[in-house]
């Protein structure tokens, strides 16, 4: 099986980009080890702190953030980072040509129940003379990402990665520490009979989403004339991995539960990298009203509605929003 570096070099990625991706993966291997040690490594449970999002930080959120932050800022390749767990961007090497936005640990409510979690990252490029302390360097459309990926800490540790030439899946060989290519050119099936949504928010959704889900739930006696299955992992990495693997629709739509927070998922380090992975695998990623990777970001922690997955089914969902 082929290792990650030669695969990326053959794709035409620069040595610097390959080294940067390997740097991220070095931190992810350490996170993978800590996650797998669970209670033995003393990392379960919460801290007493909240992050900028007003969410209680888990010990593993903080640890994963620190591992990624330290290794990236010391690498020399990175001008600055933006993280879910950091209120502001953090400057690295002023001469670095890359910036990285990341969710150090996605699905952190799953940590204490020994369920799926992962790391999501988005790599963008900036001019050499851009100011490392200027947070606006991160306000790039998803289309400008040079690479995006996630590492899923499941029964096996897997990397989904795109550098704009398709989406590939690598599996961590824990005996040698290498990510080996296990699925080349992932293709999300165009059609599906499976969807993922947190249905407890149903009464707070917009009419379009209420109607779409109602029609799916009506099954073969409803307007769709077919039965649909539902799954919800409560970690976007896990749900998106299922979508990449066997198709489906994953959505975290707008809701009115908290009027100050109509959306849950963050554009720069959740929606954009997942949108790139899904589009590069032939799927679709939208807010319901526009393509996710067309959005001009205004803030580093901005949130968006997300509907992504199998092309035909996402388009059906979008037709309810038209
Ligand atoms: P995070 O743990 O990084 O804050 O992200 C959690 C997100 C996402 O991964 C998941 O799809 C969603 O929150 C789960 O939301 P519910 O708690 O509503 O199920
Ligand atoms: Mn997350
Ligand atoms: Mn997180």
């Amino acid at each position: 099986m082929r290792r990650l570096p030669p695969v990326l070099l053959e794709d035409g990625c620069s040595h610097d980009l390959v080294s940067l991706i390997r740097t991220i993966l070095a931190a992810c291997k350490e996170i993978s080890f800590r996650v797998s040690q669970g209670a033995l490594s003393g990392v379960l449970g919460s801290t007493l702190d909240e992050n900028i999002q007003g969410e209680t930080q888990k010990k593993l959120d903080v640890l994963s953030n620190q591992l990624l932050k330290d290794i990236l800022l010391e690498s020399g390749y990175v001008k600055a980072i933006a993280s879910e767990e950091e209120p502001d961007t953090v400057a690295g090497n002023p001469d670095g040509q890359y910036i990285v936005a990341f969710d150090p640990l996605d699905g952190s409510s799953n940590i204490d129940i020994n369920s799926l979690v992962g790391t999501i990252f988005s790599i963008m490029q900036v001019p050499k003379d851009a100011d490392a302390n200027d947070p606006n360097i991160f306000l790039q459309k998803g289309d400008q990402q040079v690479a995006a990926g996630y590492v899923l800490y499941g029964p096996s540790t897997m990397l989904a990665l795109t550098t704009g030439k398709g989406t590939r899946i690598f599996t961590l060989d824990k005996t040698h520490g290498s990510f080996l290519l296990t699925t080349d050119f992932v293709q999300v099936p165009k059609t599906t009979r499976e969807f993922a949504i947190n249905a407890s928010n149903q009464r707070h959704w917009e009419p379009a989403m209420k109607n779409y889900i109602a029609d799916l739930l009506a099954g073969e006696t409803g307007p769709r004339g077919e039965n649909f299955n539902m799954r919800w992992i409560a970690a976007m990495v896990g749900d998106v991995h299922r979508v990449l693997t066997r198709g489906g629709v994953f959505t975290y739509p707008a809701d009115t539960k908290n009027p100050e927070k109509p959306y849950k998922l963050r554009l720069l380090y959740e929606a954009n990298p997942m949108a790139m992975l899904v589009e590069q695998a032939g799927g679709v990623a939208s807010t319901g009203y526009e393509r996710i990777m067309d959005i001009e970001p205004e803030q580093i922690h901005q949130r968006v509605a997300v509907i992504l997955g199998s092309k035909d089914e996402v388009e059906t969902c979008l037709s309810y929003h038209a």
Side-chain angles (χ1 to χ4, degrees), residues 23 34 45 66 105 123 139 187 192 268:
T23 303
R34 303 290 188 104
Q66 200 65 48
L105 207 68
I123 302 176
L139 304 184
Q187 281 297 315
T192 182
L268 290 191

Side-chain angles (χ1 to χ4, degrees), residues 84 103 105-108 120 236 265-266 269-270:
E84 179 189 352
D103 177 350
L105 207 68
D106 177 63
S108 41
I120 309 172
M236 185 189 202
L265 298 172
R266 278 63 51 112
Y269 42 84
E270 291 177 319

